[in-house]
Amino acid sequence: MSIYAKISESVVEETVLAWFETLGYAVESGPAISPGEPRAEREEYNQVVLKGRLRRALADINPDIPLEAIDEALRKVTRTESPSLVENNRRFHRMLTDGVDVSYRDNGRVVHDKAWLLDLNDTENNNWLVANQFAVVENKVNRRPDIIVFVNGLPLAVIELKNPADEKATIHQAYNQFQTYKGDIPTLFGYNELLIISDGLEARMGTLTSGWDRFIPWRTVDGKQIAPKGSIELEVLLKGVFDKRRFLDLILNFVVFEDGGAAIMKKVAAYHQFH
């Protein structure tokens, strides 16, 4: 019998959540913060941004901007402008990197300013959360990604896990699951920076537009030493990529959009390109 035969997908999920806790993330049950619950953080299942967390983070990160401009930034971030998922994603990524344009009056004059979505100087001034089994409903289709990584209420990464004890449940199936999700609950992926697929053993990372061949492993935790042979790929990837400062550095400085003729491609650096 395989040593992994008794490992279920839920055990892998719990292990992932525990690793995130060691990285300093808060952990929430998706169902516990769902609409209608005592600790609900959204009003409808089609809402994918945790607006309360985002509003508080915007105010903390941009203390010199008046609240009406903070609300303007919130509206811009949560508004969908294009029928194209990739275009919406590129627009959002630009707001992550370049800030959100806001205007407000100060002593009778109009001030044009930027509201920043992330605090790069003080990582602890951001709100770090992972939630499991976070249901999203769009067009009457209900999908429940395994784990979503929220920074300041923004769903920046999604992790899809498969059962390592099930020989038919491969990471390729997790990849296919993402292709289904993108069609069924596109609003969630308008904010996505990274997609992670794993069966608890193997683990790969890609972007919204990555083909199967572009999902790649991450081989280092500290960015210097390659993880020893026999290391758990998923642990190396999560601890290597989601260290708070590294994660912000990776998504802000090592993600690019390329207009390759017919399609826009979103690319993220591999571990050996990130330094």
Side-chain angles (χ1 to χ4, degrees):
M1 179 185 286
S2 163
I3 61 170
Y4 300 108
K6 295 182 180 178
I7 300 176
S8 67
E9 187 180 320
S10 62
V11 170
V12 177
E13 191 174 291
E14 288 163 15
T15 303
V16 168
L17 296 176
W19 284 332
F20 271 104
E21 282 189 308
T22 68
L23 292 170
Y25 290 67
V27 172
E28 278 283 10
S29 156
I33 58 174
S34 291
E37 296 299 320
R39 294 193 295 113
E41 294 204 32
R42 52 192 178 135
E43 296 171 357
E44 305 288 344
Y45 278 100
N46 63 356
Q47 295 173 346
V48 299
V49 172
L50 305 178
K51 289 185 180 179
R53 290 177 188 260
L54 178 56
R55 183 179 278 109
R56 288 191 296 274
L58 282 166
D60 289 343
I61 295 166
N62 306 278
D64 298 328
I65 292 179
L67 288 179
E68 63 266 25
I70 294 294
D71 284 336
E72 180 191 352
L74 185 74
R75 283 192 299 273
K76 285 187 174 181
V77 171
T78 54
R79 188 170 65 217
T80 300
E81 291 200 342
S82 169
S84 163
L85 171 56
V86 179
E87 283 292 357
N88 288 327
N89 189 270
R90 179 156 67 172
R91 171 181 170 270
F92 170 70
H93 183 79
R94 196 171 290 126
M95 288 192 280
L96 269 189
T97 57
D98 299 350
V100 183
D101 292 321
V102 294
S103 301
Y104 54 89
R105 289 195 168 274
D106 183 35
N107 293 325
R109 67 190 182 93
V110 176
V111 177
H112 299 288
D113 209 339
K114 294 274 191 184
W116 298 96
L117 298 176
L118 301 167
D119 192 329
L120 307 186
N121 298 317
D122 179 5
T123 57
E124 293 309 314
N125 197 33
N126 298 295
N127 182 281
W128 302 87
L129 173 74
V130 290
N132 65 325
Q133 302 301 320
F134 185 90
V136 181
V137 180
E138 262 189 89
N139 299 316
K140 299 182 180 177
V141 178
N142 185 333
R143 296 293 179 217
R144 196 183 288 252
D146 289 325
I147 294 175
I148 299 178
V149 181
F150 293 91
V151 184
N152 299 336
L154 299 163
L156 299 186
V158 185
I159 301 169
E160 190 65 19
L161 303 168
K162 291 300 173 190
N163 183 353
D166 183 350
E167 292 180 3
K168 296 177 183 175
T170 63
I171 60 169
H172 198 284
Q173 281 190 314
Y175 167 80
N176 290 337
Q177 189 82 55
F178 274 139
Q179 309 319 304
T180 300
Y181 286 165
K182 286 189 291 186
D184 289 346
I185 49 172
T187 301
L188 175 65
F189 294 91
Y191 300 93
N192 183 264
E193 294 298 315
L194 296 178
L195 299 175
I196 312 297
I197 54 177
S198 179
D199 61 1
L201 309 173
E202 290 184 279
R204 301 285 185 273
M205 179 181 81
T207 74
L208 184 70
T209 67
S210 297
W212 167 245
D213 61 329
R214 293 293 181 181
F215 270 75
I216 52 175
W218 194 270
R219 302 286 190 202
T220 172
V221 171
D222 62 7
K224 299 168 187 171
Q225 298 286 329
I226 298 297
K229 194 166 184 175
S231 299
I232 300 170
E233 283 190 15
L234 182 56
E235 182 177 15
V236 172
L237 189 155
L238 294 181
K239 292 182 176 179
V241 169
F242 290 98
D243 167 85
K244 293 174 181 178
R245 185 158 296 284
R246 269 198 299 275
F247 180 57
L248 295 184
D249 190 15
L250 182 65
I251 65 173
L252 295 177
N253 299 314
F254 292 88
V255 169
V256 296
F257 287 81
E258 291 182 0
D259 286 290
I264 300 168
M265 299 300 296
K266 185 178 188 180
K267 297 182 177 181
V268 62
Y271 69 92
H272 57 276
Q273 299 164 319
F274 174 71
H275 52 77

